[in-house]
Amino acid sequence: GESVGLHLPTLSVQEGDNSIINCAYSNSASDYFIWYKQESGKGPQFIIDIRSNMDKRQGQRVTVLLNKTVKHLSLQIAATQPGDSAVYFCADVYNNNDMRFGAGTRLTVKP
Amino acid sequence: DAMVIQNPRYQVTQFGKPVTLSCSQTLNHNVMYWYQQKSSQAPKLLFHYYDKDFNNEADTPDNFQSRRPNTSFCFLDIRSPGLGDAAMYLCATSRTGGFSTDTQYFGPGTRLTVL
């Protein structure tokens, strides 16, 4: 089956810098995308989502960009803080009932 | 306040010894999911209940079973755990079950060790 993948398994940034986490998906029919944050010892937590009719969506310190032409999704975190250290998963959804997680990127924030 | 509760947080079992993991929710959601998450991997959906209707994923081994005696509780039974079943097991809920029209709420997970 088709799956969602990530370019980099780990990312290390300095506190205060911006972080960019990338994701490639393969199902061109996917119409909804989600970013989750999973801290150590916890379940995934919804961060932000975007529908396929949009190319950008902003939240508090986070922005998701969607490029459907190349099937690429990114999560930008502004002014990264130690509390942002976690594993970040993207997920794509097809037809509201089929969701696939990507492999995850571990973000480490250095003080 | 905890919304999706999983007990125990850590479970150790022996190879081949049946084990049950439990999940409860205070959200009164219709849908409850069980995911398996192996180390450094993404969660993988095993099955879900929409109310009392059980929905198994095609590639979920028969070794994994589930029960939902009421709205609040859902159990994951592993009949004969193998070493490859060692993982974090995540429970999640949603009100309607639509991935793009609803939000999933995850519990903290139960980490299963198989000796």
Side-chain angles (χ1 to χ4, degrees), chain A residues 32 38 41 43-44 51 96 99 102, chain B residues 9 37 42 98-100 104 106-107:
Chain A
Y32 179 70
Q38 186 173 22
R51 300 196 180 276
N96 199 29
M99 183 172 78
Chain B
R9 294 293 311 278
Q37 186 177 26
F99 289 114
S100 55
Q104 280 192 315
F106 284 85

Side-chain angles (χ1 to χ4, degrees), chain B residues 25 28-32 49-51 68 71 94-96:
Chain B
Q25 53 133 339
N28 203 34
H29 281 174
N30 290 315
V31 191
M32 295 187 77
Y49 271 96
Y50 188 101
D51 196 11
R68 190 179 185 185
T71 300
S94 74
R95 188 178 302 279
T96 65

Side-chain angles (χ1 to χ4, degrees), chain B residues 37-56:
Chain B
Q37 186 177 26
K38 295 189 176 180
S39 182
S40 300
Q41 296 185 22
K44 179 181 181 297
L45 182 63
L46 295 173
F47 27 58
H48 73 275
Y49 271 96
Y50 188 101
D51 196 11
K52 296 180 181 180
D53 293 331
F54 178 70
N55 298 272
N56 200 29

Side-chain angles (χ1 to χ4, degrees), chain A residues 31-32 34 36 38 41-46 51 89 93 95-99 101-104 106, chain B residues 9-10 35 37 40-44 88 90 97-109:
Chain A
D31 52 13
Y32 179 70
I34 310 166
Y36 287 95
Q38 186 173 22
K42 297 183 179 180
Q45 180 184 11
F46 173 94
R51 300 196 180 276
F89 293 98
V93 177
N95 203 28
N96 199 29
N97 60 15
D98 183 9
M99 183 172 78
F101 281 93
R106 181 175 300 280
Chain B
R9 294 293 311 278
Y10 300 90
Y35 288 85
Q37 186 177 26
S40 300
Q41 296 185 22
K44 179 181 181 297
M88 176 76 82
L90 295 164
F99 289 114
S100 55
T101 55
D102 203 353
T103 300
Q104 280 192 315
Y105 295 86
F106 284 85

Side-chain angles (χ1 to χ4, degrees), chain B residues 9-114:
Chain B
R9 294 293 311 278
Y10 300 90
Q11 176 73 56
V12 179
T13 191
Q14 292 180 330
F15 182 94
K17 184 175 180 180
V19 65
T20 295
L21 310 181
S22 82
C23 176
S24 63
Q25 53 133 339
T26 60
L27 298 163
N28 203 34
H29 281 174
N30 290 315
V31 191
M32 295 187 77
Y33 306 83
W34 279 104
Y35 288 85
Q36 180 192 63
Q37 186 177 26
K38 295 189 176 180
S39 182
S40 300
Q41 296 185 22
K44 179 181 181 297
L45 182 63
L46 295 173
F47 27 58
H48 73 275
Y49 271 96
Y50 188 101
D51 196 11
K52 296 180 181 180
D53 293 331
F54 178 70
N55 298 272
N56 200 29
E57 292 298 299
D59 56 355
T60 298
D62 292 341
N63 198 28
F64 292 88
Q65 303 287 318
S66 187
R67 295 170 285 135
R68 190 179 185 185
N70 54 52
T71 300
S72 300
F73 285 87
C74 195
F75 300 100
L76 170 62
D77 300 309
I78 308 176
R79 295 193 297 188
S80 182
L83 297 179
D85 297 328
M88 176 76 82
Y89 289 88
L90 295 164
C91 175
T93 73
S94 74
R95 188 178 302 279
T96 65
F99 289 114
S100 55
T101 55
D102 203 353
T103 300
Q104 280 192 315
Y105 295 86
F106 284 85
T110 294
R111 183 166 297 282
L112 178 69
T113 300
V114 182

